Amino acid sequence: MNEQTNQVNNEANIRSEKEELSQTPTSISSVANAERSGYTLQQLQCTGCGSFLSSGMTFCPQCGKNIWQSEKKVSKPITSNKVFWVVFGVSIGVVLIIGLLLFFLLKPPAVEKVEFDKSEITLRVGETEEIKYAIYPEGVDVEITFSSSNHTVATVTSTGKIIAKGKGNCTITVKCGDKSDTLEVKVKNYPDFKALFKEHCKSAWAEVGSDGSYLEIDTNPNDYEDYFISVADEAIEDINKAIGLPDSLYNDMLNTSYNMGRQTETFEDFGVTISWTYHPNYGLEVVYKIIE
């Protein structure tokens, strides 16, 4: 009786396995179809009897065990919160990359050198001058600053205009990035001979240097005997006063004799040297010069 019962159970198990095998892919092409359908090959060795299997087998030829599991692939849905953070992270990365590219592409080249077109200038009190300078490489768009070492002598504007304030020396500095250059400025309290010539003189008996460094007046330019030009004589007196020279100087000029030769006197405070000769028959000749 037990033997009959065991036989019935074995037959039932065999029918069950056959039914299971009928639902399982049985060839290599069936493997591909199974993979597309979501089946996953779990092992290459039979877990029932331990026999090694050839590629494409779907059941063990020794024990008949099914070696496939019909586990469908299941993926977890991405929540909206995760989508937000993924998009946010990607956006931040893109912005950073674009920012770095723009920084290096738009960054101006470094300044190699900045220099004035001269090393020193001399100005008269009250004069102004626009200083010239160059930046290398050309076309660099950077901030430029100017400064003066002594504002009582000279000041400088943000555009490089120097204004002479008082007698003395100072240094003007131009700075561009970490590069700089200097210009020595000498300010002297000397007269403007061109302006004095224009106001008090005539070219027939006076001459002024093209650079304004001297002014010469001759009351008898043609050396006529016993002759002098009175307006020229008056111009000498007026120019002395305009410069600020003492009244005694004009008297000294008139009291100079011919045999005394040329006389010279320097006035440091006014930045001028004056020399003259006088002859009773040929008049008075005066030369004003700027002190270098």
Side-chain angles (χ1 to χ4, degrees), residues 269-280:
D269 291 341
F270 303 104
V272 63
T273 295
I274 303 170
S275 64
W276 69 91
T277 60
Y278 178 74
H279 191 284

Side-chain angles (χ1 to χ4, degrees), residues 86-253:
V86 170
V87 174
F88 179 77
V90 171
S91 301
I92 292 297
V94 171
V95 170
L96 288 176
I97 293 173
I98 294 175
L100 289 173
L101 289 174
L102 291 176
F103 175 78
F104 287 107
L105 291 175
L106 301 179
K107 182 181 179 181
V111 176
E112 297 176 2
K113 181 172 64 173
V114 57
E115 63 180 1
F116 288 112
D117 66 337
K118 58 186 70 174
S119 59
E120 65 177 45
I121 59 172
T122 300
L123 299 175
R124 183 177 60 253
V125 174
E127 279 188 327
T128 63
E129 182 166 335
E130 293 280 354
I131 49 179
K132 297 180 180 180
Y133 59 92
I135 300 174
Y136 302 95
E138 296 181 358
V140 178
D141 185 16
V142 292
E143 182 181 4
I144 302 169
T145 59
F146 298 92
S147 61
S148 171
S149 63
N150 191 336
H151 291 129
T152 62
V153 176
T155 59
V156 59
T157 67
S158 59
T159 59
K161 181 180 180 180
I162 299 176
I163 305 171
K165 295 291 187 177
K167 183 179 177 181
N169 300 330
C170 73
T171 301
I172 301 297
T173 301
V174 58
K175 190 171 184 180
C176 182
D178 60 349
K179 306 299 181 181
S180 62
D181 194 21
T182 58
L183 172 70
E184 298 301 317
V185 178
K186 297 180 180 179
V187 178
K188 297 183 177 181
N189 189 23
Y190 57 82
D192 184 349
F193 288 147
K194 288 185 176 182
L196 291 173
F197 175 86
K198 184 177 181 180
E199 183 178 355
H200 301 285
C201 303
K202 292 186 180 297
S203 59
W205 42 266
E207 180 182 344
V208 65
S210 59
D211 59 355
S213 62
Y214 73 89
L215 173 62
E216 181 177 353
I217 299 175
D218 190 347
T219 61
N220 187 2
N222 298 314
D223 289 334
Y224 295 138
E225 193 170 343
D226 295 329
Y227 174 84
F228 74 96
I229 301 173
S230 60
V231 290
D233 190 66
E234 292 173 1
I236 294 173
E237 188 174 9
D238 292 339
I239 289 172
N240 286 353
K241 290 180 179 180
I243 295 174
L245 303 175
D247 293 339
S248 59
L249 177 63
Y250 182 68
N251 292 329
D252 292 340
M253 292 177 176

Side-chain angles (χ1 to χ4, degrees), residues 29 70 75 82 91 115 146 192 209 257:
S29 61
S70 57
S75 59
K82 289 184 178 180
S91 301
E115 63 180 1
F146 298 92
D192 184 349
S257 62

